[in-house]
Amino acid sequence: MQSLYVDGDTRMHKLSPRIKLIVLALLGVILFLTDRISLLALAAVVGSVLYFAVGMSLREALVRLRPVFLVILFVALFSLLFNPLHDAMTTVLRLITLMLFAAMVTATTTISAFIDEITFLAGPLEKIGLVRAADIGLAVGLVVRFVPEIVDRYGAIREAHEARGLKIRLSTTLVPLIILTLRDADSIAAAIDARGIRRH
């Protein structure tokens, strides 16, 4: 499996994963408490600077963002149809800012660090009997780890369609993507159970 982590020695790499996750959570709250275009645009610029300073090439950095940008573009078009321009712009800027900061966090934090921090943060919920902290950490780690795999698999399906001269449709790409993803999920779940991880 691939990883979203980018090996590096930047300040963001050295920053504690706990601090990065807490700041990301607070940022998500703050962004939705303001509708000032200037502040949201400034936050997006700061997010861009931090993300592109992680240590990736420009092409790799843009390729990583492409799937999320397509979703944001769809949301932007939908928002423009049903909302005033100002509201549509604030929505898009919020999403772009969160995307850039989240991408920066995942690029500078290893999967093991993610799992450790999420497990720690879910500890209070485990004490009151709501969840198992280890299961939450494992689930989040697997989701982060699966993202590049799903993106690459979608690209392979598209290339297979193009090689056969088939028109690329959502119905003909989404179904095999879901089937392959679920198959891998079953394999990983079986491996986890075989090692007794969830029983611990």
Side-chain angles (χ1 to χ4, degrees), residues 27 31 38-48 93 97 100-101:
L27 178 67
L31 288 175
S38 57
L39 289 178
L40 294 172
L42 177 61
V45 171
V46 173
S48 299
L93 286 172
T97 303
L100 290 168
F101 275 92

Side-chain angles (χ1 to χ4, degrees), residues 130-157:
L130 291 179
V131 298
R132 289 189 61 191
D135 288 349
I136 298 297
L138 179 61
V140 172
L142 288 174
V143 168
V144 173
R145 187 71 183 238
F146 252 111
V147 170
E149 290 290 317
I150 295 174
V151 172
D152 286 347
R153 188 169 290 119
Y154 176 74
I157 293 172

Side-chain angles (χ1 to χ4, degrees), residues 61-123:
L62 293 176
V63 167
R64 284 176 172 234
L65 297 178
R66 184 173 57 187
V68 187
F69 263 129
L70 293 177
V71 175
I72 292 177
L73 179 61
F74 175 79
V75 172
L77 294 175
F78 184 83
S79 184
L80 281 171
L81 289 175
F82 298 98
N83 296 298
L85 178 60
H86 181 273
D87 292 346
M89 290 182 64
T90 56
T91 299
V92 172
L93 286 172
R94 285 167 180 162
L95 292 176
I96 290 176
T97 303
L98 283 175
M99 173 195 66
L100 290 168
F101 275 92
M104 180 273 298
V105 171
T106 54
T108 57
T109 308
T110 62
I111 297 296
S112 59
F114 257 117
I115 294 176
D116 290 343
E117 293 303 324
I118 295 298
T119 301
F120 174 81
L121 294 174

Side-chain angles (χ1 to χ4, degrees), residues 21-34:
L21 290 173
I22 292 174
V23 170
L24 182 61
L26 292 176
L27 178 67
V29 174
I30 294 172
L31 288 175
F32 284 87
L33 292 178
T34 181

